[in-house]
Amino acid sequence: ASFQRTGAGRCPVRKLHAGSGPRSGRGGRRAGVMVQLYNLHPFGSQQVVPCKQPPELFCCGRDALLVVCAPGACRVEVFAVGRSEVCEPLGAFNTLGRVLRMAYSEAGDYVVTIEEKNKTIFLRAYVNWRCLSTGSSRVCVRMLGHNPHASNPEASKEQMSIIEMPLSDPPLCFSCCPLKGDLLVGCKNKLVLFCLKQLVVSQDLTVLDFERSLILHTQNITPVEVAFCAGYVAITAELEVLILKLEPSEKAGDGTGQRHCESTGPEELANEGALEEADPSQQPDCDDFVVCQQPVELLGEESELCGIPISVESTGLVGENPHFQYILYRRFTPDLSSYVFSFEESRLHSLQLLPMYEMGSSVKAEGRETAKRELLSLFCFFSLPHVGYLYAIGNLVELISTYQYSEKSQQAVLTPQFLHVITSNNLQCFTVRCSAAAARDEDPYIDTTLKACPPAQLDVCTLRMQLFIGLRAISHFKNHVIVLTKADTEDLTEKKKPSRRFLSRKADNQPKVPPESEPGWNLYIVKTASALQLYREMVEYSKINENARTESCIHLLSEAHLLIRTALMDPNVNEMEEKEDLFAAFRESCALLGDCYSRFDTKDFHLTLPYYKMSGLSMAEVLKRVDLTSENEAHKYGKGFIFYLQHVLYEDTNEELSEDMAAKVLQIFYLAEPNQMPHIICSPCTQNVCPKMALEYLEKVEMVVPSVVVTLCKASLALKMGDQDRCQKELDSYAEMIQVCGFIVEPRLLRQQSKGQTSPTKLAVHLRETRPGFLVASILALHENSKMELEEADSYIKMLFTKDGDGVPQLLVDFWEALLVTCFQEDVVQELHFKLASQYIRRLCRKELPDTKPLKTTEDLINSCIHYGLIFPWVSFMMSLAPPSEQNSCEDLSKLQSLLCSPHIDITPILSFLETLPDETISGLSIHILCNTRLGQYETAIDRLLERCPEAVIPYAQHELKDEHQALWWKKLLPELCRRTRYAGDNYPVLLSSLKETLSVLSMELELRDFLNVLPEDGNAAFFLPHLLQCSRRRQVI
């Protein structure tokens, strides 16, 4: 055989060593190859299909097996699959020609064939074929798009329809989409897509039909096999693989209905160095040599450089133009290791697209639960005679696994659980990694401390190599594998010799060939073991290597875990009892993996934590498992187990260990991680530990690794023992600021978690009584270091006090004041303003005193915090007029006044609280006037002052009526004073004095003409004359 040189536009881009794979996108390493062979039993019982003639083609249709027997026969026999121990014939139906290829589509329940008659190739679909196989003789032949059922819908229910799908070129191959039932047909230089349609004839009748929707015109490639699923198109041709993705466009492009995509030619890639051309004069004669193309692998956007131009022609009724993108291109070199070379021995085969669905998705229809298939991940498999390749082509294009076969393969079939490969005399069963990749597509954050999954690049293994004689073809249906054997003469001679029969665990389980079967060929239905059965066998097998402390045990348990995970992803699993058994096995597998990672010294010891968490085991149960499963005391507690314990004990859980279990945990950490002892003692899980014993451990630790956390933990234990003197002694060992740092490192010294509720510790209660300022500083440090939220801190401080009601303790007010000093976040500052102002007002209204002495005075806050401003002079003047009972009140008033005097506060949120504060007193009036001023209501403030406290109106005006508000002196204050002094009253002297002061200020600020204009027309000239003279003299001086 000879191979042509690289043609135009077919220049390779990258060299790959034979059998090598690309860099993995998920794990960053090359996909694994087979490293292990296990003698497990993935196959169970078997049945012999009672065919009367030698089978040529077969495929599975739900619970039926369709077989085409004898070359040239135009007949399809139907057999039951999985219904009983005996494979029973269900019937048969005739085809219009000799069947060359046949496939079944579960979506639509139709059979599609490529047939030959009179040297002409036809493409046909057989719809409603089940009624004919069960005895009905009605047949309807029609062209696609033609609906003869509309005239006689009742007859259509009991007749088979044969749909002719005309093509301009003979069909070479086809593929049915498992999701929608659409049909992709491969012809020379083009692919034709037929969309499955459901035509509603009546309420009880729905008729299937097809519509030719688009044509993909290809160049430089002739499809040998095609696969189609969810818009993805895979093509193989001799030694090339191309994968495309069809996508509907939002708007139609040009009016021609075609999109042409030209790939880069060889001239543009000449600098890549992928192909070194020799001098033509020095090239040998091609008759003496086989000229091969170099291997190439292109992923994602790079695959556009493959040199295969594609154009899309839309032929459907919809006016939109679909577009496509290149996903993957790979080219191989033929295997020249054999002296006798032929193309048949080297080409690609078994192209397949495998979808995986959302885990456990289902809907209820007509009172029963049915599977709802939502595509999660998509995988592509293809194989050379000695190597198979599995790619993920969904969210990420990557090579997952490479399969090395022990001998030349004939055919392979991929399932979510296994890869079944047939050679001339062996049925091989390999593990697959589809569920591992799909799990990460379903949950991108699966590799965390909460969840884990074996890597998609985990080395694959062979579960079984079952001896068969003369294997020719293989197919798969649910938990059944169908294989066809045709032994040669020499094979039959060998078969007569005593040997182990296929799958013979016991002599009485061997199948019996029916008498009508001729020797030399058989069609077997092999039932695969259930996921639970094979899982249990894997677990038992793993115990062989359990004590060897090797990776083999982890590898096999990972295989078992992925097997159960795959079963849980199967949308056909609907029985609740089966699901519960699978979930129980899933949890058990997680526990077993946790056991391995906890004991074995591996680089992935950290996986102990997520696997134990996924197992649902409590910490006490894990401790018991470790003691039971590990007999070697020296290796009982590995790094993984310590890692698990440390992280769980750091969490706020509701589990409390018994005194004995808690003592055991302390002993483990004292030997393994002594510096973690104070953190372990502070865990809510070890609250039942004996404080005396824990204190002894800490004293030993302090001698080796002294720290402030150890000292604070000793103080806490001393309080539990009732020794306050010992506690005080330990607290005096370090400065308070250093102890604050210790609380930041271990906040659980101040707060404890019990049954989902946070509460203060005994140490916190002790500090509240003895060192409240130090406690507030510690809580503030926890908040600033993101160890405690503001709302959490509020609740925590309230829990330190046992009094009933909604009152706010003074210690919480002290915390707010301290936080306001250090906080710079605007939203938090405004929230603190509201909290403090509302609390000050509440206590002023209720005339309540603080329950404890405030830690800071008003003067301290003014000096240390920009949010507390200097109290305005006019406010101080007003307070000087207040009676002694108001002047000697608590500091809430002065703090509120200082807070309102700050330019940073937004008083709008506290206006509702001001309504409850009376203004009959001078102190209350001062707060209201401050709020009027902050709101810009100067005229209202002046009216209230003239009405209630006229003595303060001039100090108020001198401080507030400046700049843009200065005009209020003559527009508001002067007219009001003139009006009020016309009538004699109790405040007449004060008002008259204020009027004179106002006129004095105006005479210094206004021009003479302006001054005259603002004076009242009916005023006493003698009263205003001195001020006019003063204004005139000021003008002369100027």
Side-chain angles (χ1 to χ4, degrees), residues 531-685:
L532 288 172
Q533 178 183 346
L534 189 57
Y535 162 77
R536 295 188 182 100
E537 186 180 4
M538 288 181 172
V539 171
E540 290 297 322
Y541 196 98
S542 67
K543 294 179 180 179
I544 299 176
N545 300 320
E546 186 176 11
N547 297 323
R549 299 180 60 79
T550 63
E551 293 289 337
S552 297
C553 182
I554 294 179
H555 187 277
L556 190 54
L557 288 176
S558 298
E559 296 284 5
H561 177 85
L562 289 176
L563 185 66
I564 297 298
R565 189 182 283 271
T566 304
L568 287 171
M569 287 184 172
D570 186 359
N572 295 317
V573 178
N574 296 320
E575 296 295 333
M576 289 304 301
E577 183 177 354
E578 184 179 1
K579 283 186 178 180
E580 290 176 359
D581 292 340
L582 288 173
F583 278 118
F586 179 82
R587 290 189 293 268
E588 181 190 22
S589 69
C590 293
L592 292 171
L593 283 171
D595 293 340
C596 289
Y597 285 112
S598 69
R599 300 194 312 271
F600 297 167
D601 187 14
T602 67
K603 61 182 179 63
D604 297 324
F605 65 89
H606 62 278
L607 294 176
T608 306
L609 177 62
Y611 278 120
Y612 271 147
K613 282 185 173 293
M614 294 164 62
S615 70
L617 295 174
S618 64
M619 192 190 315
E621 292 171 333
V622 171
L623 285 167
K624 293 178 182 178
R625 288 178 66 93
V626 173
D627 289 338
L628 292 174
T629 57
S630 180
E631 299 177 357
N632 190 347
E633 189 69 27
H635 300 288
K636 180 179 292 187
Y637 307 118
K639 290 190 299 182
F641 180 69
I642 300 299
F643 181 83
Y644 162 77
L645 273 185
Q646 182 175 341
H647 277 75
V648 173
L649 291 171
Y650 265 92
E651 297 174 356
D652 294 331
T653 61
N654 296 328
E655 182 180 3
E656 293 185 5
L657 298 175
S658 64
E659 183 177 350
D660 294 338
M661 282 291 185
K664 189 176 189 65
V665 170
L666 261 63
Q667 181 185 7
I668 293 172
F669 276 92
Y670 176 71
L671 297 175
E673 297 282 348
N675 59 325
Q676 299 294 324
M677 286 294 291
H679 306 290
I680 304 306
I681 294 174
C682 292
S683 172
C685 301

Side-chain angles (χ1 to χ4, degrees), residues 715-972:
S716 178
L717 290 173
L719 279 178
K720 287 185 177 182
M721 298 169 60
D723 192 349
Q724 294 194 5
D725 295 336
R726 175 71 180 274
C727 174
Q728 195 64 36
K729 179 182 177 181
E730 298 293 344
L731 292 176
D732 292 338
S733 302
Y734 289 91
E736 287 189 349
M737 290 308 300
I738 297 178
Q739 294 183 62
V740 168
C741 296
F743 288 131
I744 295 174
V745 175
E746 185 47 79
R748 292 179 295 183
L749 285 164
L750 292 179
R751 61 177 183 179
Q752 60 188 358
Q753 189 84 8
S754 178
K755 297 181 180 179
Q757 299 293 328
T758 302
S759 60
T761 61
K762 291 184 178 181
L763 181 59
V765 176
H766 176 75
L767 293 177
R768 185 210 69 186
E769 297 172 352
T770 58
R771 303 181 181 183
F774 171 53
L775 178 60
V776 170
S778 301
I779 300 173
L780 180 61
L782 292 179
H783 173 71
E784 290 180 339
N785 287 273
S786 301
K787 303 289 186 179
M788 186 181 291
E789 298 295 332
L790 181 57
E791 293 77 8
E792 187 181 0
D794 293 352
S795 302
Y796 172 81
I797 295 176
K798 288 181 180 179
M799 283 187 287
L800 284 167
F801 298 85
T802 57
K803 67 178 184 178
D804 299 329
D806 58 349
V808 177
Q810 176 58 37
L811 196 67
L812 181 54
V813 178
D814 294 331
F815 169 72
W816 291 339
E817 292 173 350
L819 181 57
L820 192 59
V821 173
T822 60
C823 185
F824 295 98
Q825 299 180 17
E826 184 61 28
D827 54 339
V828 179
V829 167
Q830 295 301 326
E831 184 178 357
L832 291 173
H833 283 164
F834 173 77
K835 289 176 179 289
L836 287 168
S838 59
Q839 181 59 25
Y840 294 150
I841 294 173
R842 182 181 291 109
R843 291 206 293 216
L844 286 173
C845 293
R846 299 179 181 181
K847 298 181 180 179
E848 293 179 357
L849 295 177
D851 53 351
T852 59
K853 183 180 178 180
L855 297 178
K856 288 184 178 292
T857 64
T858 305
E859 185 177 357
D860 295 335
L861 292 174
I862 292 174
N863 294 333
S864 60
C865 181
I866 61 173
H867 300 286
Y868 283 89
L870 287 171
I871 298 178
F872 298 151
W874 60 269
V875 177
S876 301
F877 178 79
M878 288 183 66
M879 295 308 301
S880 65
L881 302 177
S885 59
E886 295 186 37
Q887 296 182 13
N888 299 329
S889 61
C890 66
E891 289 197 345
D892 288 340
L893 177 62
S894 59
K895 289 181 179 179
L896 179 59
Q897 290 172 341
S898 176
L899 195 63
L900 294 176
C901 290
S902 170
H904 303 285
I905 187 174
D906 180 13
I907 67 167
T908 305
I910 66 173
L911 291 178
S912 58
F913 288 94
L914 283 175
E915 297 177 357
T916 61
L917 181 65
D919 60 352
E920 286 81 5
T921 61
I922 296 295
S923 59
L925 180 64
S926 66
I927 300 301
H928 284 278
I929 298 299
L930 277 171
C931 290
N932 291 140
T933 305
R934 293 305 309 273
L935 293 173
Q937 300 172 356
Y938 295 96
E939 297 185 10
T940 303
I942 291 172
D943 290 336
R944 299 181 79 164
L945 282 174
L946 290 175
E947 186 67 29
R948 302 294 306 281
C949 187
E951 296 89 348
V953 69
I954 295 302
Y956 174 83
Q958 290 174 342
H959 186 269
E960 301 295 342
L961 303 184
K962 298 177 181 178
D963 301 328
E964 67 271 15
H965 306 297
Q966 189 180 26
L968 291 176
W969 279 93
W970 58 85
K971 291 184 177 180
K972 176 63 179 180

